[in-house]
Amino acid sequence: MLTQWLTPETISIVDHVSDWQTAVRQAARPLLASGAITPAYLDAIFATHAEIGPYYVLTPGLALPHARPEQGACHNGLSLLHIRQGVRFHAAENDPVFVVIMLSALSGDDHIRMITQLAELFSDESRLQQLLVADTLSAIQAVISQ
């Protein structure tokens, strides 16, 4: 399933970004372009971050920003941004973040299904480490397709 969502059109690689907000915006670009999310979805992510902090930085090097379906999700989608130099999300021991995966789900069931697929990747420490250092499209695709 991940290979269906994370395609060359939804995977981006950059050397660096100026801050975590820019990282979230860049990760959102493919989903905005495809109509999977509206700008309100980003506003919701930023508002929740302001309220409770970087709730979506799940493990060292990895962020999974997302909002509730009613906050601007138009259809299901995933995008991935790899930041070669990493960026601080002010997430204490989980900084710097190298991989930002943006998730858009239309329903709770879709959200659980997508998170389950991602959890298989994240729970395999070897695959997760490979993903964090994979800085080419082919390397990222190889990790996702395992």
Side-chain angles (χ1 to χ4, degrees), residues 5-6 9-12 24-39 41-42 45 64-67 72-80 100-105 114:
W5 294 107
L6 293 172
E9 294 76 30
T10 62
I11 297 171
S12 305
V24 170
R25 284 187 193 96
Q26 282 194 239
R29 281 184 187 159
L31 298 180
L32 286 164
S34 71
I37 61 172
T38 67
Y41 195 81
L42 283 176
I45 291 169
L64 184 67
H66 59 284
C74 299
H75 62 79
N76 295 337
L78 288 174
S79 61
L80 185 150
V100 180
I101 298 176
M102 177 82 61
L103 179 143
S104 169
M114 295 170 88

PDB file of all heavy atoms in Angstrom, residues 5-6 9-12 24-39 41-42 45 64-67 72-80 100-105 114:
ATOM      1  N   TRP A   5       0.874   4.980  -2.386  1.00  0.00           N
ATOM      2  CA  TRP A   5       0.715   6.352  -1.897  1.00  0.00           C
ATOM      3  C   TRP A   5       1.980   7.181  -2.085  1.00  0.00           C
ATOM      4  O   TRP A   5       1.900   8.355  -2.417  1.00  0.00           O
ATOM      5  CB  TRP A   5       0.341   6.343  -0.412  1.00  0.00           C
ATOM      6  CG  TRP A   5      -0.991   5.745  -0.122  1.00  0.00           C
ATOM      7  CD1 TRP A   5      -1.224   4.531   0.458  1.00  0.00           C
ATOM      8  CD2 TRP A   5      -2.269   6.296  -0.419  1.00  0.00           C
ATOM      9  NE1 TRP A   5      -2.563   4.308   0.556  1.00  0.00           N
ATOM     10  CE2 TRP A   5      -3.237   5.384   0.025  1.00  0.00           C
ATOM     11  CE3 TRP A   5      -2.693   7.487  -1.004  1.00  0.00           C
ATOM     12  CZ2 TRP A   5      -4.597   5.611  -0.093  1.00  0.00           C
ATOM     13  CZ3 TRP A   5      -4.055   7.709  -1.121  1.00  0.00           C
ATOM     14  CH2 TRP A   5      -4.986   6.777  -0.677  1.00  0.00           C
ATOM     15  N   LEU A   6       3.118   6.559  -1.799  1.00  0.00           N
ATOM     16  CA  LEU A   6       4.385   7.293  -1.882  1.00  0.00           C
ATOM     17  C   LEU A   6       5.053   6.978  -3.221  1.00  0.00           C
ATOM     18  O   LEU A   6       5.741   5.981  -3.378  1.00  0.00           O
ATOM     19  CB  LEU A   6       5.282   6.924  -0.694  1.00  0.00           C
ATOM     20  CG  LEU A   6       4.746   7.395   0.663  1.00  0.00           C
ATOM     21  CD1 LEU A   6       5.572   6.819   1.801  1.00  0.00           C
ATOM     22  CD2 LEU A   6       4.698   8.916   0.728  1.00  0.00           C
ATOM     23  N   GLU A   9       5.920  11.322  -7.496  1.00  0.00           N
ATOM     24  CA  GLU A   9       5.213  12.606  -7.457  1.00  0.00           C
ATOM     25  C   GLU A   9       4.987  13.103  -6.027  1.00  0.00           C
ATOM     26  O   GLU A   9       4.763  14.293  -5.817  1.00  0.00           O
ATOM     27  CB  GLU A   9       3.858  12.505  -8.169  1.00  0.00           C
ATOM     28  CG  GLU A   9       3.952  12.259  -9.652  1.00  0.00           C
ATOM     29  CD  GLU A   9       4.303  10.810 -10.016  1.00  0.00           C
ATOM     30  OE1 GLU A   9       3.943   9.875  -9.249  1.00  0.00           O
ATOM     31  OE2 GLU A   9       4.946  10.615 -11.057  1.00  0.00           O
ATOM     32  N   THR A  10       5.019  12.198  -5.065  1.00  0.00           N
ATOM     33  CA  THR A  10       4.736  12.598  -3.682  1.00  0.00           C
ATOM     34  C   THR A  10       5.960  12.537  -2.771  1.00  0.00           C
ATOM     35  O   THR A  10       5.855  12.789  -1.576  1.00  0.00           O
ATOM     36  CB  THR A  10       3.608  11.727  -3.075  1.00  0.00           C
ATOM     37  OG1 THR A  10       4.030  10.370  -3.049  1.00  0.00           O
ATOM     38  CG2 THR A  10       2.323  11.873  -3.865  1.00  0.00           C
ATOM     39  N   ILE A  11       7.119  12.211  -3.331  1.00  0.00           N
ATOM     40  CA  ILE A  11       8.368  12.162  -2.571  1.00  0.00           C
ATOM     41  C   ILE A  11       9.257  13.313  -3.028  1.00  0.00           C
ATOM     42  O   ILE A  11       9.489  13.492  -4.216  1.00  0.00           O
ATOM     43  CB  ILE A  11       9.097  10.816  -2.785  1.00  0.00           C
ATOM     44  CG1 ILE A  11       8.250   9.649  -2.269  1.00  0.00           C
ATOM     45  CG2 ILE A  11      10.469  10.834  -2.103  1.00  0.00           C
ATOM     46  CD1 ILE A  11       8.798   8.277  -2.629  1.00  0.00           C
ATOM     47  N   SER A  12       9.748  14.079  -2.053  1.00  0.00           N
ATOM     48  CA  SER A  12      10.649  15.199  -2.338  1.00  0.00           C
ATOM     49  C   SER A  12      11.906  15.059  -1.495  1.00  0.00           C
ATOM     50  O   SER A  12      11.860  14.557  -0.369  1.00  0.00           O
ATOM     51  CB  SER A  12       9.976  16.538  -2.004  1.00  0.00           C
ATOM     52  OG  SER A  12       8.759  16.679  -2.671  1.00  0.00           O
ATOM     53  N   VAL A  24       7.195  21.420   7.054  1.00  0.00           N
ATOM     54  CA  VAL A  24       5.802  20.971   6.989  1.00  0.00           C
ATOM     55  C   VAL A  24       5.155  21.473   5.698  1.00  0.00           C
ATOM     56  O   VAL A  24       4.461  20.720   5.006  1.00  0.00           O
ATOM     57  CB  VAL A  24       5.018  21.421   8.238  1.00  0.00           C
ATOM     58  CG1 VAL A  24       3.522  21.168   8.076  1.00  0.00           C
ATOM     59  CG2 VAL A  24       5.546  20.704   9.485  1.00  0.00           C
ATOM     60  N   ARG A  25       5.396  22.743   5.357  1.00  0.00           N
ATOM     61  CA  ARG A  25       4.817  23.289   4.118  1.00  0.00           C
ATOM     62  C   ARG A  25       5.324  22.542   2.882  1.00  0.00           C
ATOM     63  O   ARG A  25       4.561  22.249   1.969  1.00  0.00           O
ATOM     64  CB  ARG A  25       5.142  24.777   3.991  1.00  0.00           C
ATOM     65  CG  ARG A  25       4.318  25.661   4.890  1.00  0.00           C
ATOM     66  CD  ARG A  25       4.560  27.139   4.610  1.00  0.00           C
ATOM     67  NE  ARG A  25       3.997  27.947   5.667  1.00  0.00           N
ATOM     68  CZ  ARG A  25       4.674  28.416   6.716  1.00  0.00           C
ATOM     69  NH1 ARG A  25       5.979  28.179   6.822  1.00  0.00           N
ATOM     70  NH2 ARG A  25       4.069  29.122   7.638  1.00  0.00           N
ATOM     71  N   GLN A  26       6.629  22.248   2.854  1.00  0.00           N
ATOM     72  CA  GLN A  26       7.185  21.535   1.702  1.00  0.00           C
ATOM     73  C   GLN A  26       6.656  20.107   1.621  1.00  0.00           C
ATOM     74  O   GLN A  26       6.383  19.607   0.526  1.00  0.00           O
ATOM     75  CB  GLN A  26       8.715  21.547   1.746  1.00  0.00           C
ATOM     76  CG  GLN A  26       9.276  22.869   1.295  1.00  0.00           C
ATOM     77  CD  GLN A  26      10.759  22.805   1.018  1.00  0.00           C
ATOM     78  OE1 GLN A  26      11.529  23.514   1.628  1.00  0.00           O
ATOM     79  NE2 GLN A  26      11.151  21.967   0.082  1.00  0.00           N
ATOM     80  N   ALA A  27       6.502  19.465   2.776  1.00  0.00           N
ATOM     81  CA  ALA A  27       5.946  18.110   2.775  1.00  0.00           C
ATOM     82  C   ALA A  27       4.507  18.117   2.273  1.00  0.00           C
ATOM     83  O   ALA A  27       4.055  17.157   1.648  1.00  0.00           O
ATOM     84  CB  ALA A  27       6.012  17.515   4.182  1.00  0.00           C
ATOM     85  N   ALA A  28       3.793  19.205   2.514  1.00  0.00           N
ATOM     86  CA  ALA A  28       2.382  19.304   2.118  1.00  0.00           C
ATOM     87  C   ALA A  28       2.186  19.613   0.638  1.00  0.00           C
ATOM     88  O   ALA A  28       1.103  19.358   0.105  1.00  0.00           O
ATOM     89  CB  ALA A  28       1.694  20.386   2.942  1.00  0.00           C
ATOM     90  N   ARG A  29       3.191  20.121  -0.033  1.00  0.00           N
ATOM     91  CA  ARG A  29       3.017  20.570  -1.431  1.00  0.00           C
ATOM     92  C   ARG A  29       2.363  19.542  -2.346  1.00  0.00           C
ATOM     93  O   ARG A  29       1.418  19.871  -3.058  1.00  0.00           O
ATOM     94  CB  ARG A  29       4.352  21.018  -2.016  1.00  0.00           C
ATOM     95  CG  ARG A  29       4.744  22.398  -1.581  1.00  0.00           C
ATOM     96  CD  ARG A  29       6.021  22.837  -2.267  1.00  0.00           C
ATOM     97  NE  ARG A  29       6.450  24.113  -1.697  1.00  0.00           N
ATOM     98  CZ  ARG A  29       7.670  24.567  -1.755  1.00  0.00           C
ATOM     99  NH1 ARG A  29       8.607  23.851  -2.377  1.00  0.00           N
ATOM    100  NH2 ARG A  29       7.979  25.722  -1.224  1.00  0.00           N
ATOM    101  N   PRO A  30       2.825  18.282  -2.362  1.00  0.00           N
ATOM    102  CA  PRO A  30       2.176  17.318  -3.264  1.00  0.00           C
ATOM    103  C   PRO A  30       0.704  17.081  -2.922  1.00  0.00           C
ATOM    104  O   PRO A  30      -0.125  16.890  -3.817  1.00  0.00           O
ATOM    105  CB  PRO A  30       2.996  16.039  -3.083  1.00  0.00           C
ATOM    106  CG  PRO A  30       4.296  16.483  -2.533  1.00  0.00           C
ATOM    107  CD  PRO A  30       4.006  17.696  -1.707  1.00  0.00           C
ATOM    108  N   LEU A  31       0.380  17.099  -1.639  1.00  0.00           N
ATOM    109  CA  LEU A  31      -1.008  16.874  -1.235  1.00  0.00           C
ATOM    110  C   LEU A  31      -1.882  18.080  -1.560  1.00  0.00           C
ATOM    111  O   LEU A  31      -3.045  17.923  -1.953  1.00  0.00           O
ATOM    112  CB  LEU A  31      -1.079  16.528   0.250  1.00  0.00           C
ATOM    113  CG  LEU A  31      -0.352  15.246   0.658  1.00  0.00           C
ATOM    114  CD1 LEU A  31      -0.476  14.995   2.153  1.00  0.00           C
ATOM    115  CD2 LEU A  31      -0.847  14.056  -0.131  1.00  0.00           C
ATOM    116  N   LEU A  32      -1.333  19.273  -1.423  1.00  0.00           N
ATOM    117  CA  LEU A  32      -2.060  20.480  -1.834  1.00  0.00           C
ATOM    118  C   LEU A  32      -2.276  20.473  -3.344  1.00  0.00           C
ATOM    119  O   LEU A  32      -3.372  20.764  -3.832  1.00  0.00           O
ATOM    120  CB  LEU A  32      -1.302  21.737  -1.410  1.00  0.00           C
ATOM    121  CG  LEU A  32      -1.333  22.077   0.074  1.00  0.00           C
ATOM    122  CD1 LEU A  32      -0.255  23.096   0.405  1.00  0.00           C
ATOM    123  CD2 LEU A  32      -2.710  22.590   0.475  1.00  0.00           C
ATOM    124  N   ALA A  33      -1.227  20.129  -4.083  1.00  0.00           N
ATOM    125  CA  ALA A  33      -1.304  20.135  -5.550  1.00  0.00           C
ATOM    126  C   ALA A  33      -2.320  19.129  -6.077  1.00  0.00           C
ATOM    127  O   ALA A  33      -2.998  19.397  -7.075  1.00  0.00           O
ATOM    128  CB  ALA A  33       0.076  19.856  -6.154  1.00  0.00           C
ATOM    129  N   SER A  34      -2.445  17.993  -5.408  1.00  0.00           N
ATOM    130  CA  SER A  34      -3.385  16.961  -5.865  1.00  0.00           C
ATOM    131  C   SER A  34      -4.796  17.180  -5.323  1.00  0.00           C
ATOM    132  O   SER A  34      -5.713  16.455  -5.700  1.00  0.00           O
ATOM    133  CB  SER A  34      -2.895  15.574  -5.447  1.00  0.00           C
ATOM    134  OG  SER A  34      -3.030  15.403  -4.043  1.00  0.00           O
ATOM    135  N   GLY A  35      -4.947  18.145  -4.434  1.00  0.00           N
ATOM    136  CA  GLY A  35      -6.252  18.400  -3.846  1.00  0.00           C
ATOM    137  C   GLY A  35      -6.591  17.480  -2.685  1.00  0.00           C
ATOM    138  O   GLY A  35      -7.730  17.455  -2.226  1.00  0.00           O
ATOM    139  N   ALA A  36      -5.604  16.745  -2.175  1.00  0.00           N
ATOM    140  CA  ALA A  36      -5.852  15.856  -1.034  1.00  0.00           C
ATOM    141  C   ALA A  36      -6.130  16.650   0.241  1.00  0.00           C
ATOM    142  O   ALA A  36      -6.865  16.190   1.114  1.00  0.00           O
ATOM    143  CB  ALA A  36      -4.677  14.916  -0.820  1.00  0.00           C
ATOM    144  N   ILE A  37      -5.522  17.832   0.349  1.00  0.00           N
ATOM    145  CA  ILE A  37      -5.734  18.700   1.498  1.00  0.00           C
ATOM    146  C   ILE A  37      -5.936  20.130   1.022  1.00  0.00           C
ATOM    147  O   ILE A  37      -5.563  20.478  -0.107  1.00  0.00           O
ATOM    148  CB  ILE A  37      -4.559  18.658   2.508  1.00  0.00           C
ATOM    149  CG1 ILE A  37      -3.248  19.121   1.858  1.00  0.00           C
ATOM    150  CG2 ILE A  37      -4.411  17.263   3.115  1.00  0.00           C
ATOM    151  CD1 ILE A  37      -2.086  19.295   2.823  1.00  0.00           C
ATOM    152  N   THR A  38      -6.515  20.939   1.897  1.00  0.00           N
ATOM    153  CA  THR A  38      -6.660  22.374   1.650  1.00  0.00           C
ATOM    154  C   THR A  38      -5.655  23.113   2.535  1.00  0.00           C
ATOM    155  O   THR A  38      -5.096  22.521   3.477  1.00  0.00           O
ATOM    156  CB  THR A  38      -8.083  22.850   2.010  1.00  0.00           C
ATOM    157  OG1 THR A  38      -8.260  22.742   3.432  1.00  0.00           O
ATOM    158  CG2 THR A  38      -9.149  22.044   1.268  1.00  0.00           C
ATOM    159  N   PRO A  39      -5.443  24.400   2.289  1.00  0.00           N
ATOM    160  CA  PRO A  39      -4.561  25.161   3.182  1.00  0.00           C
ATOM    161  C   PRO A  39      -5.019  25.133   4.644  1.00  0.00           C
ATOM    162  O   PRO A  39      -4.196  25.235   5.557  1.00  0.00           O
ATOM    163  CB  PRO A  39      -4.610  26.576   2.598  1.00  0.00           C
ATOM    164  CG  PRO A  39      -4.858  26.351   1.136  1.00  0.00           C
ATOM    165  CD  PRO A  39      -5.818  25.182   1.092  1.00  0.00           C
ATOM    166  N   TYR A  41      -5.865  22.646   6.304  1.00  0.00           N
ATOM    167  CA  TYR A  41      -5.247  21.469   6.919  1.00  0.00           C
ATOM    168  C   TYR A  41      -3.904  21.854   7.542  1.00  0.00           C
ATOM    169  O   TYR A  41      -3.602  21.470   8.673  1.00  0.00           O
ATOM    170  CB  TYR A  41      -5.082  20.381   5.861  1.00  0.00           C
ATOM    171  CG  TYR A  41      -4.801  19.004   6.396  1.00  0.00           C
ATOM    172  CD1 TYR A  41      -5.832  18.208   6.867  1.00  0.00           C
ATOM    173  CD2 TYR A  41      -3.518  18.473   6.402  1.00  0.00           C
ATOM    174  CE1 TYR A  41      -5.593  16.915   7.340  1.00  0.00           C
ATOM    175  CE2 TYR A  41      -3.273  17.198   6.875  1.00  0.00           C
ATOM    176  CZ  TYR A  41      -4.307  16.422   7.343  1.00  0.00           C
ATOM    177  OH  TYR A  41      -4.069  15.153   7.808  1.00  0.00           O
ATOM    178  N   LEU A  42      -3.122  22.630   6.804  1.00  0.00           N
ATOM    179  CA  LEU A  42      -1.847  23.114   7.340  1.00  0.00           C
ATOM    180  C   LEU A  42      -2.078  24.032   8.527  1.00  0.00           C
ATOM    181  O   LEU A  42      -1.355  23.949   9.534  1.00  0.00           O
ATOM    182  CB  LEU A  42      -1.058  23.851   6.262  1.00  0.00           C
ATOM    183  CG  LEU A  42      -0.350  22.997   5.235  1.00  0.00           C
ATOM    184  CD1 LEU A  42       0.315  23.862   4.185  1.00  0.00           C
ATOM    185  CD2 LEU A  42       0.660  22.099   5.897  1.00  0.00           C
ATOM    186  N   ILE A  45      -2.608  21.969  11.559  1.00  0.00           N
ATOM    187  CA  ILE A  45      -1.364  21.373  12.067  1.00  0.00           C
ATOM    188  C   ILE A  45      -0.579  22.410  12.856  1.00  0.00           C
ATOM    189  O   ILE A  45      -0.115  22.152  13.979  1.00  0.00           O
ATOM    190  CB  ILE A  45      -0.517  20.795  10.909  1.00  0.00           C
ATOM    191  CG1 ILE A  45      -1.203  19.570  10.310  1.00  0.00           C
ATOM    192  CG2 ILE A  45       0.897  20.441  11.391  1.00  0.00           C
ATOM    193  CD1 ILE A  45      -0.584  19.086   9.009  1.00  0.00           C
ATOM    194  N   LEU A  64       5.412  12.944  11.479  1.00  0.00           N
ATOM    195  CA  LEU A  64       4.216  12.533  10.746  1.00  0.00           C
ATOM    196  C   LEU A  64       3.107  13.568  10.985  1.00  0.00           C
ATOM    197  O   LEU A  64       2.123  13.299  11.671  1.00  0.00           O
ATOM    198  CB  LEU A  64       3.772  11.142  11.211  1.00  0.00           C
ATOM    199  CG  LEU A  64       2.604  10.505  10.488  1.00  0.00           C
ATOM    200  CD1 LEU A  64       2.961  10.167   9.045  1.00  0.00           C
ATOM    201  CD2 LEU A  64       2.159   9.243  11.224  1.00  0.00           C
ATOM    202  N   PRO A  65       3.267  14.781  10.420  1.00  0.00           N
ATOM    203  CA  PRO A  65       2.237  15.798  10.657  1.00  0.00           C
ATOM    204  C   PRO A  65       0.921  15.440   9.982  1.00  0.00           C
ATOM    205  O   PRO A  65       0.893  14.964   8.853  1.00  0.00           O
ATOM    206  CB  PRO A  65       2.846  17.070  10.061  1.00  0.00           C
ATOM    207  CG  PRO A  65       3.922  16.626   9.154  1.00  0.00           C
ATOM    208  CD  PRO A  65       4.366  15.268   9.617  1.00  0.00           C
ATOM    209  N   HIS A  66      -0.157  15.668  10.717  1.00  0.00           N
ATOM    210  CA  HIS A  66      -1.491  15.405  10.201  1.00  0.00           C
ATOM    211  C   HIS A  66      -2.499  16.153  11.066  1.00  0.00           C
ATOM    212  O   HIS A  66      -2.183  16.591  12.166  1.00  0.00           O
ATOM    213  CB  HIS A  66      -1.795  13.902  10.206  1.00  0.00           C
ATOM    214  CG  HIS A  66      -1.724  13.276  11.558  1.00  0.00           C
ATOM    215  ND1 HIS A  66      -0.527  12.996  12.172  1.00  0.00           N
ATOM    216  CD2 HIS A  66      -2.689  12.907  12.421  1.00  0.00           C
ATOM    217  CE1 HIS A  66      -0.767  12.472  13.355  1.00  0.00           C
ATOM    218  NE2 HIS A  66      -2.079  12.405  13.541  1.00  0.00           N
ATOM    219  N   ALA A  67      -3.691  16.303  10.532  1.00  0.00           N
ATOM    220  CA  ALA A  67      -4.782  16.945  11.250  1.00  0.00           C
ATOM    221  C   ALA A  67      -6.009  16.050  11.136  1.00  0.00           C
ATOM    222  O   ALA A  67      -5.969  14.988  10.509  1.00  0.00           O
ATOM    223  CB  ALA A  67      -5.055  18.334  10.669  1.00  0.00           C
ATOM    224  N   GLY A  72      -9.715  19.872   6.777  1.00  0.00           N
ATOM    225  CA  GLY A  72      -9.212  20.186   5.453  1.00  0.00           C
ATOM    226  C   GLY A  72      -8.729  19.007   4.637  1.00  0.00           C
ATOM    227  O   GLY A  72      -8.093  19.203   3.597  1.00  0.00           O
ATOM    228  N   ALA A  73      -9.021  17.785   5.075  1.00  0.00           N
ATOM    229  CA  ALA A  73      -8.687  16.604   4.266  1.00  0.00           C
ATOM    230  C   ALA A  73      -9.773  16.423   3.208  1.00  0.00           C
ATOM    231  O   ALA A  73     -10.954  16.406   3.525  1.00  0.00           O
ATOM    232  CB  ALA A  73      -8.594  15.362   5.137  1.00  0.00           C
ATOM    233  N   CYS A  74      -9.369  16.314   1.959  1.00  0.00           N
ATOM    234  CA  CYS A  74     -10.316  16.135   0.850  1.00  0.00           C
ATOM    235  C   CYS A  74     -10.295  14.720   0.298  1.00  0.00           C
ATOM    236  O   CYS A  74     -11.297  14.238  -0.215  1.00  0.00           O
ATOM    237  CB  CYS A  74     -10.010  17.130  -0.259  1.00  0.00           C
ATOM    238  SG  CYS A  74     -10.147  18.846   0.290  1.00  0.00           S
ATOM    239  N   HIS A  75      -9.159  14.070   0.337  1.00  0.00           N
ATOM    240  CA  HIS A  75      -9.056  12.652   0.025  1.00  0.00           C
ATOM    241  C   HIS A  75      -7.790  12.084   0.645  1.00  0.00           C
ATOM    242  O   HIS A  75      -6.936  12.833   1.122  1.00  0.00           O
ATOM    243  CB  HIS A  75      -9.181  12.344  -1.472  1.00  0.00           C
ATOM    244  CG  HIS A  75      -8.142  12.938  -2.362  1.00  0.00           C
ATOM    245  ND1 HIS A  75      -6.889  12.412  -2.508  1.00  0.00           N
ATOM    246  CD2 HIS A  75      -8.175  14.019  -3.170  1.00  0.00           C
ATOM    247  CE1 HIS A  75      -6.191  13.138  -3.373  1.00  0.00           C
ATOM    248  NE2 HIS A  75      -6.940  14.121  -3.784  1.00  0.00           N
ATOM    249  N   ASN A  76      -7.696  10.784   0.687  1.00  0.00           N
ATOM    250  CA  ASN A  76      -6.562  10.123   1.322  1.00  0.00           C
ATOM    251  C   ASN A  76      -5.277  10.396   0.539  1.00  0.00           C
ATOM    252  O   ASN A  76      -5.286  10.432  -0.688  1.00  0.00           O
ATOM    253  CB  ASN A  76      -6.789   8.610   1.386  1.00  0.00           C
ATOM    254  CG  ASN A  76      -7.942   8.243   2.279  1.00  0.00           C
ATOM    255  OD1 ASN A  76      -8.322   8.996   3.167  1.00  0.00           O
ATOM    256  ND2 ASN A  76      -8.505   7.077   2.046  1.00  0.00           N
ATOM    257  N   GLY A  77      -4.201  10.547   1.282  1.00  0.00           N
ATOM    258  CA  GLY A  77      -2.922  10.743   0.627  1.00  0.00           C
ATOM    259  C   GLY A  77      -1.760  10.747   1.598  1.00  0.00           C
ATOM    260  O   GLY A  77      -1.932  10.979   2.800  1.00  0.00           O
ATOM    261  N   LEU A  78      -0.588  10.469   1.076  1.00  0.00           N
ATOM    262  CA  LEU A  78       0.671  10.546   1.817  1.00  0.00           C
ATOM    263  C   LEU A  78       1.685  11.273   0.952  1.00  0.00           C
ATOM    264  O   LEU A  78       1.661  11.156  -0.278  1.00  0.00           O
ATOM    265  CB  LEU A  78       1.234   9.150   2.110  1.00  0.00           C
ATOM    266  CG  LEU A  78       0.552   8.270   3.137  1.00  0.00           C
ATOM    267  CD1 LEU A  78       1.213   6.885   3.146  1.00  0.00           C
ATOM    268  CD2 LEU A  78       0.624   8.887   4.513  1.00  0.00           C
ATOM    269  N   SER A  79       2.566  12.009   1.603  1.00  0.00           N
ATOM    270  CA  SER A  79       3.717  12.570   0.912  1.00  0.00           C
ATOM    271  C   SER A  79       4.913  12.449   1.843  1.00  0.00           C
ATOM    272  O   SER A  79       4.757  12.307   3.059  1.00  0.00           O
ATOM    273  CB  SER A  79       3.481  14.028   0.517  1.00  0.00           C
ATOM    274  OG  SER A  79       3.267  14.829   1.672  1.00  0.00           O
ATOM    275  N   LEU A  80       6.095  12.470   1.261  1.00  0.00           N
ATOM    276  CA  LEU A  80       7.319  12.313   2.038  1.00  0.00           C
ATOM    277  C   LEU A  80       8.323  13.360   1.610  1.00  0.00           C
ATOM    278  O   LEU A  80       8.563  13.549   0.416  1.00  0.00           O
ATOM    279  CB  LEU A  80       7.891  10.908   1.825  1.00  0.00           C
ATOM    280  CG  LEU A  80       9.122  10.523   2.649  1.00  0.00           C
ATOM    281  CD1 LEU A  80       9.139   9.018   2.912  1.00  0.00           C
ATOM    282  CD2 LEU A  80      10.431  10.940   1.987  1.00  0.00           C
ATOM    283  N   VAL A 100       9.886  13.741   6.866  1.00  0.00           N
ATOM    284  CA  VAL A 100       8.563  14.254   7.210  1.00  0.00           C
ATOM    285  C   VAL A 100       7.565  13.567   6.281  1.00  0.00           C
ATOM    286  O   VAL A 100       7.647  13.718   5.061  1.00  0.00           O
ATOM    287  CB  VAL A 100       8.479  15.782   7.030  1.00  0.00           C
ATOM    288  CG1 VAL A 100       7.091  16.292   7.406  1.00  0.00           C
ATOM    289  CG2 VAL A 100       9.560  16.488   7.844  1.00  0.00           C
ATOM    290  N   ILE A 101       6.662  12.792   6.866  1.00  0.00           N
ATOM    291  CA  ILE A 101       5.615  12.131   6.085  1.00  0.00           C
ATOM    292  C   ILE A 101       4.295  12.793   6.443  1.00  0.00           C
ATOM    293  O   ILE A 101       3.877  12.753   7.600  1.00  0.00           O
ATOM    294  CB  ILE A 101       5.560  10.618   6.368  1.00  0.00           C
ATOM    295  CG1 ILE A 101       6.877   9.957   5.959  1.00  0.00           C
ATOM    296  CG2 ILE A 101       4.379   9.980   5.620  1.00  0.00           C
ATOM    297  CD1 ILE A 101       6.966   8.474   6.279  1.00  0.00           C
ATOM    298  N   MET A 102       3.677  13.430   5.469  1.00  0.00           N
ATOM    299  CA  MET A 102       2.386  14.089   5.669  1.00  0.00           C
ATOM    300  C   MET A 102       1.290  13.101   5.342  1.00  0.00           C
ATOM    301  O   MET A 102       1.346  12.418   4.318  1.00  0.00           O
ATOM    302  CB  MET A 102       2.287  15.316   4.765  1.00  0.00           C
ATOM    303  CG  MET A 102       0.974  16.049   4.819  1.00  0.00           C
ATOM    304  SD  MET A 102       0.778  17.206   6.184  1.00  0.00           S
ATOM    305  CE  MET A 102       2.080  18.369   5.907  1.00  0.00           C
ATOM    306  N   LEU A 103       0.299  13.026   6.224  1.00  0.00           N
ATOM    307  CA  LEU A 103      -0.805  12.083   6.075  1.00  0.00           C
ATOM    308  C   LEU A 103      -2.112  12.852   5.982  1.00  0.00           C
ATOM    309  O   LEU A 103      -2.349  13.781   6.749  1.00  0.00           O
ATOM    310  CB  LEU A 103      -0.832  11.151   7.288  1.00  0.00           C
ATOM    311  CG  LEU A 103      -1.930  10.101   7.335  1.00  0.00           C
ATOM    312  CD1 LEU A 103      -1.372   8.826   7.941  1.00  0.00           C
ATOM    313  CD2 LEU A 103      -3.112  10.574   8.143  1.00  0.00           C
ATOM    314  N   SER A 104      -2.941  12.467   5.037  1.00  0.00           N
ATOM    315  CA  SER A 104      -4.297  12.991   4.909  1.00  0.00           C
ATOM    316  C   SER A 104      -5.239  11.804   4.819  1.00  0.00           C
ATOM    317  O   SER A 104      -5.090  10.953   3.944  1.00  0.00           O
ATOM    318  CB  SER A 104      -4.423  13.854   3.650  1.00  0.00           C
ATOM    319  OG  SER A 104      -5.776  14.156   3.388  1.00  0.00           O
ATOM    320  N   ALA A 105      -6.193  11.733   5.743  1.00  0.00           N
ATOM    321  CA  ALA A 105      -7.161  10.640   5.743  1.00  0.00           C
ATOM    322  C   ALA A 105      -8.565  11.209   5.872  1.00  0.00           C
ATOM    323  O   ALA A 105      -8.801  12.121   6.657  1.00  0.00           O
ATOM    324  CB  ALA A 105      -6.873   9.673   6.890  1.00  0.00           C
ATOM    325  N   MET A 114      -3.968   3.594   7.176  1.00  0.00           N
ATOM    326  CA  MET A 114      -2.713   4.196   6.717  1.00  0.00           C
ATOM    327  C   MET A 114      -1.653   4.150   7.812  1.00  0.00           C
ATOM    328  O   MET A 114      -0.486   3.840   7.543  1.00  0.00           O
ATOM    329  CB  MET A 114      -2.974   5.628   6.245  1.00  0.00           C
ATOM    330  CG  MET A 114      -3.880   5.683   5.022  1.00  0.00           C
ATOM    331  SD  MET A 114      -4.434   7.348   4.640  1.00  0.00           S
ATOM    332  CE  MET A 114      -3.079   7.870   3.602  1.00  0.00           C
TER     333      MET A 114
END
